[in-house]
Amino acid sequence: MLGLNAKDFRLLLIVIAITLLAPFILNPFPENSGLAQFNAGYPDLMQRFVIYGIFAIGFNILFGLTGYLSFGHAAFLGVGSYAAIWMMKLVTLNVIPAIILGVIVAGLFALAVGYISLRRSGIYFSILTLAFAQMSYALAYSVLTPITGGETGLQIKSTDSPLLSNLEPGEIGRANLFGMDMRAGFDLSFGDWLFTINMGYYIAAAFMIIAFYLSIRIFRSPFGTMLRAVKSNQTRMYYTGLNARPYTLAAFVISGMYAGLAGGLLVAMDTQAGPERMFWTASGEVVLMTILGGAGTLIGPVLGSGAIKYMENILSKINKDILHEWFAFMPDGLEDFVITIVYPFIGKGWHLTLGLIFMAVVIFLPGGLVEGGQRIGRLLRGKKAKDDGDKATQSTPAE
């Protein structure tokens, strides 16, 4: 169905179900519970889950299939954001044209960068992409300030009057989808549980589902097979008369367009764009997302982006006061000792926890979180098969 085999279609259905039910799945603890700190079902964070999931899915098409490691993909995220915000400032506050323009401009920029960078491979390719990203950041930060807003970035202001939007003088426009406010939503209360249903999240989620479906089609297509051949042995491809460069350039552009889509959605959810989205750390983050989840897998980048954004927004908010509440049952001396041990790994030190997790994944799970899930599944199936075998042995009389 939809051009997918049974296994891929089941995976797509699982992703759709998890995405639609995310406001409920991510709020497992009651609001008045001490564990409510770990709830992640609020709109801003859920939107980041799916938007950065799109960013990582696109990066995985390049890195996971071809093996080309780009350290400059944040440039396309930033370019897509700037294109989208200018569309909203000048033409219309409808998010669809803004997102489309972000994808197109990011794709064109990726075509130019890829045409030059793909003349080299390996570490030289990575350094070239990093150089382009840092040049883009420098231009946005201090050179092209009339276009980018410099350090403060761009946002919708009361002085903006988009051509196709009927705003009152002095009114600050809001992003919308054919008149429906992106911030619109409502709360559902069930006992002590509170769930937020937000329109902006479901629009971003719809784009993520489409992006995920397209990535499956790319992975299973002859084009995807050629990209795997590039990763496997590019020299052998040249010996057979096949030129790998058009395939790698196409993968680079598609990956850049995914980043542009993510950038446009960031603007649609929060109408502002700044140069920080193009900094090298943002490019490094998407690399971590992909490797942590499982490079070359379909669902891995989504899992990796969700894990990192969860730690960034949840673990980073835990402070000493919260820790004292958690360990208040302990004797004072033991409580202080435990907090002293735990505190460096949360709050501002959440990067330390991320680093340790990343090290563990690279050392013990080269296939990322996906490989971890597969190992657990095999272990459970093996245990079940062993139990079934033991039962059969016990119930079958010896001959």
Side-chain angles (χ1 to χ4, degrees), residues 25 49 63 95 107 154 163 298 306 331 344 380 395:
I25 297 173
F49 282 159
F63 176 58
V95 299
L154 294 173
L163 184 63
L298 288 168
L380 294 176
S395 61

Side-chain angles (χ1 to χ4, degrees), residues 52 61 76 92 96 117 125 186 188 201 203 225 238 287 346 398:
Y52 280 91
I61 292 174
F76 311 127
T92 176
I96 298 300
S117 301
F125 166 80
F186 59 92
L188 291 176
Y201 164 72
I203 291 173
T225 302
Y238 284 118
V287 175
I346 49 89

Side-chain angles (χ1 to χ4, degrees), residues 306-325:
I308 289 179
K309 287 301 169 183
Y310 182 86
M311 287 189 286
E312 179 182 342
N313 289 272
I314 301 299
L315 287 185
S316 63
K317 292 182 180 179
I318 301 175
N319 53 38
K320 284 190 175 181
D321 293 335
I322 295 176
L323 290 179
H324 279 292
E325 291 179 7

Side-chain angles (χ1 to χ4, degrees), residues 15 17 35 50 54 68 74 166 193 204 212 217 223 229 239 253 270 305 314 326 334 364 370 376:
V15 170
L35 295 175
V50 294
I54 293 172
Y68 276 77
N166 297 320
W193 280 266
F212 184 74
R217 296 300 302 269
F223 172 68
Y239 284 158
V253 172
D270 183 14
S305 64
I314 301 299
W326 289 354
L334 181 59
F364 300 107
V370 171
I376 293 173

Side-chain angles (χ1 to χ4, degrees), residues 9-144:
F9 186 68
R10 284 196 301 269
L11 179 61
L12 179 62
L13 290 180
I14 291 172
V15 170
I16 292 173
I18 293 175
T19 304
L20 295 179
L21 298 175
F24 305 96
I25 297 173
L26 296 174
N27 265 6
F29 305 112
E31 285 297 304
N32 57 2
S33 167
L35 295 175
Q37 171 72 36
F38 295 101
N39 285 342
Y42 52 92
D44 180 67
L45 182 53
M46 290 193 299
Q47 289 166 7
R48 290 184 178 274
F49 282 159
V50 294
I51 291 173
Y52 280 91
I54 293 172
F55 188 22
I57 289 170
F59 180 80
N60 189 47
I61 292 174
L62 177 66
F63 176 58
L65 288 180
T66 70
Y68 276 77
L69 177 58
S70 169
F71 282 133
H73 250 54
F76 311 127
L77 181 77
V79 166
S81 294
Y82 280 120
I85 195 68
W86 274 112
M87 172 62 79
M88 297 180 75
K89 288 170 72 72
L90 298 177
V91 182
T92 176
L93 292 169
N94 191 323
V95 299
I96 298 300
I99 292 171
I100 292 174
L101 182 64
V103 172
I104 293 173
V105 173
L108 292 174
F109 185 51
L111 178 63
V113 173
Y115 183 79
I116 298 173
S117 301
L118 287 167
R119 294 175 179 273
R120 295 292 181 267
S121 60
I123 189 62
Y124 304 105
F125 166 80
S126 301
I127 295 300
L128 278 173
T129 56
L130 176 61
F132 273 111
Q134 285 302 99
M135 286 190 292
S136 300
Y137 168 78
L139 289 172
Y141 190 86
S142 59
V143 179
L144 301 177

Side-chain angles (χ1 to χ4, degrees), residues 183-267:
R183 300 179 184 178
F186 59 92
D187 293 334
L188 291 176
S189 180
F190 297 99
D192 293 332
W193 280 266
L194 182 66
F195 307 104
T196 302
I197 309 300
N198 175 258
M199 177 182 169
Y201 164 72
Y202 279 106
I203 291 173
F207 277 101
M208 198 275 283
I209 291 170
I210 295 171
F212 184 74
Y213 167 73
L214 292 176
S215 74
I216 297 176
R217 296 300 302 269
I218 290 172
F219 267 64
R220 304 303 184 220
S221 67
F223 172 68
T225 302
M226 294 299 296
L227 296 181
R228 289 190 186 87
V230 171
K231 183 178 182 179
S232 176
N233 196 323
Q234 190 172 159
T235 303
R236 185 174 296 175
M237 284 187 65
Y238 284 118
Y239 284 158
T240 59
L242 293 173
N243 185 3
R245 192 176 176 195
Y247 296 100
T248 54
L249 181 58
F252 193 90
V253 172
I254 292 171
S255 186
M257 293 173 74
Y258 267 78
L261 172 60
L265 283 169
L266 283 174
V267 170

